[in-house]
Amino acid sequence: MRKLLLLFVLCLSYTNTTNAQQPFDKKLVLKQMILANDYFMQKWPETGKTIITNKERPSNIWTRGVYYEGLMALHEIFPKEAYYKYAYDWSEFHKWGFNGGNATRNADNYCAAQTYIDLYNLEPDAKKLKNTKANINMLLNTPQLDDWSWIDAIQMGMPVFAKLGVLEKDNRYFEKMYQMYMYSRNKHGDNGLFNPKDGLWWRDADFDPPYKEPNGEDCYWSRGNGWVIGALAKVLTIIPKNAPHRDQYVKDLKAMAAALVPIQRPDGFWNVSLHDPTNFGEKETSGTALFVYGMAYGINSGILKKETYLPVIEKAWNAITKDALHDTGFLGYLQSTGKEPKDGQPLSYDKIPDFEDYGLGCFLLAGSEIYKMK
């Protein structure tokens, strides 16, 4: 009897250990990512086709740039030739350049460089980085630090500096990136866009105090905060362990993650307005996916405690894939472009946002980091 009991305990222990080590069905996660990505690639077979909503825009704007970030993350774990070709053809169509040209200071425009650099690293060719180097070196060698006046820009621009710093083995890129980040963090608006008290960011100077949500709380926009934690995670994956200012990024990622845990919705999503569920309090996919990405990286890198954050991630990923991901690969509950909770409302399972690309990019970033979990 004692032997049987011991055997049962050992089996139970083995099962629990196995479950703890493999919290996700990786084959299913990959299948879900492929499904969502195939839907988009089939809908947009021409990579250079302009995007028409309220007006016509080129296909290398930030929304598409974020999608290609996600596609390259998918390609990293599942290097399918069709994915590489789709990204390469897009880059070739735009001549590896930017909306606004090489003199642009708008991070939305040079977001595309993240993919250009990734493609260069896979197959070096000087033409791929001609425009990227011209643009970023201009930013590097001019004194302005205040370009990232809205927090979305941190995700669009910061990883470009990190990638070039590694590629060129030049700490000047890391220093400039840090200075621009800290200007957004501590100086934009009245006292910076980061509120250390709450561990969250105001979207821009329009939303720091005295601006309040209807319930009297500060306005913390879900996707805006997602951009920041996503940027921190991505930069930390890129820069060396001994890179200057790494500790600052780790500190801020940890503060944000800790702030997000208690405000996760019971269904696993996060509200569009993080501190006011009465102000367009629906579930929202893009911000939720970016939070998953940031926290999953935190676990994978040892920055965040697995026992604390894994249940949060599991709950959120299950919510996205069960409540938002259609059998066709379409993603619901995606807020359209904007800058605050009211934009693009109301959300629903079936509503098509004005741009479908960037939400998918966020989803692919999250899935790719989950897939890397041990």
Side-chain angles (χ1 to χ4, degrees):
M1 182 69 182
R2 289 182 63 188
K3 287 182 178 179
L4 286 173
L5 182 61
L6 179 60
L7 182 61
F8 172 76
V9 170
L10 287 172
C11 288
L12 183 62
S13 174
Y14 174 79
T15 301
N16 288 339
T17 302
T18 302
N19 289 339
Q21 291 175 340
Q22 298 293 337
F24 292 96
D25 179 344
K26 293 193 175 185
K27 288 183 179 179
L28 177 59
V29 171
L30 182 59
K31 183 179 177 182
Q32 291 163 334
M33 295 171 68
I34 291 170
L35 174 69
N37 187 68
D38 283 354
Y39 161 83
F40 183 79
M41 285 180 62
Q42 289 163 14
K43 187 170 181 177
W44 290 86
E46 298 175 46
T47 56
K49 185 178 180 181
T50 56
I51 305 167
I52 301 174
T53 55
N54 60 327
K55 66 178 184 178
E56 190 170 9
R57 297 173 175 87
S59 70
N60 62 344
I61 60 172
W62 72 268
T63 66
R64 196 58 53 88
V66 171
Y67 161 69
Y68 279 103
E69 286 182 61
L71 180 64
M72 295 307 293
L74 173 58
H75 180 269
E76 184 181 354
I77 61 172
F78 189 63
K80 188 175 178 180
E81 181 62 25
Y83 300 159
Y84 175 88
K85 185 177 186 302
Y86 197 63
Y88 185 89
D89 289 350
W90 172 73
S91 305
E92 272 283 293
F93 179 87
H94 293 290
K95 299 179 181 176
W96 307 85
F98 308 118
N99 184 34
N102 290 348
T104 183
R105 302 192 70 93
N106 188 329
D108 285 353
N109 292 335
Y110 58 83
C111 173
Q114 295 191 44
T115 296
Y116 300 161
I117 298 169
D118 287 347
L119 290 170
Y120 176 90
N121 287 335
L122 288 170
E123 189 178 16
D125 184 344
K127 74 173 184 180
K128 296 178 179 178
L129 295 189
K130 176 178 174 289
N131 296 310
T132 294
K133 287 183 176 180
N135 177 248
I136 303 304
N137 286 342
M138 176 269 293
L139 299 174
L140 185 69
N141 292 300
T142 50
Q144 294 94 320
L145 300 175
D146 60 351
D147 289 342
W148 300 341
S149 60
W150 72 110
I151 59 176
D152 314 32
I154 293 171
Q155 193 283 147
M156 307 301 158
M158 199 171 172
V160 180
F161 283 83
K163 288 172 186 282
L164 278 179
V166 171
L167 190 63
E168 300 290 293
K169 297 181 175 60
D170 189 341
N171 277 0
R172 290 183 305 153
Y173 293 97
F174 300 147
E175 288 296 335
K176 186 73 174 188
M177 172 180 77
Y178 172 74
Q179 291 168 7
M180 292 173 74
Y181 171 76
M182 293 302 283
Y183 196 100
S184 300
R185 186 187 190 278
N186 297 336
K187 294 187 177 180
H188 269 305
D190 292 328
N191 296 292
L193 299 178
F194 179 65
N195 185 355
K197 174 177 165 288
D198 288 337
L200 297 170
W201 296 65
W202 298 293
R203 197 268 184 182
D204 56 49
D206 291 342
F207 296 97
D208 65 1
Y211 185 94
K212 295 291 181 184
E213 289 284 77
N215 70 347
E217 288 280 339
D218 284 74
C219 180
Y220 300 121
W221 182 40
S222 179
R223 188 165 65 232
N225 278 272
W227 291 134
V228 180
I229 199 171
L232 292 170
K234 176 164 276 195
V235 165
L236 287 166
T237 66
I238 297 165
I239 61 176
K241 294 289 184 184
N242 63 347
H245 315 300
R246 185 182 180 92
D247 289 349
Q248 180 70 59
Y249 309 139
V250 170
K251 175 186 171 185
D252 288 352
L253 187 147
K254 290 173 74 172
M256 291 190 71
L260 290 165
V261 172
I263 56 175
Q264 186 179 27
R265 293 163 52 104
D267 62 15
F269 287 88
W270 276 267
N271 289 322
V272 181
S273 180
L274 293 175
H275 276 199
D276 188 355
T278 70
N279 190 31
F280 303 103
E282 301 95 341
K283 58 184 77 173
E284 201 281 313
T285 299
S286 64
T288 299
L290 287 165
F291 297 151
V292 169
Y293 171 57
M295 291 182 192
Y297 164 76
I299 291 175
N300 289 342
S301 63
I303 291 172
L304 299 179
K305 291 183 179 179
K306 191 172 186 178
E307 58 269 27
T308 300
Y309 290 94
L310 182 56
V312 177
I313 293 169
E314 287 182 297
K315 193 174 179 182
W317 182 256
N318 289 336
I320 293 172
T321 53
K322 289 178 181 177
D323 295 352
L325 180 63
H326 289 225
D327 292 340
T328 61
F330 171 76
L331 285 166
Y333 295 107
L334 276 172
Q335 188 184 12
S336 294
T337 52
K339 60 182 284 183
E340 59 182 304
K342 72 175 179 61
D343 293 329
Q345 296 290 347
L347 310 184
S348 72
Y349 176 72
D350 294 315
K351 183 178 179 179
I352 300 174
D354 55 356
F355 297 84
E356 292 185 67
D357 42 14
Y358 63 88
L360 171 58
C362 300
F363 177 76
L364 295 177
L365 286 170
S368 67
E369 204 60 38
I370 286 173
Y371 191 84
K372 294 174 188 174
M373 281 187 168
K374 295 179 180 178

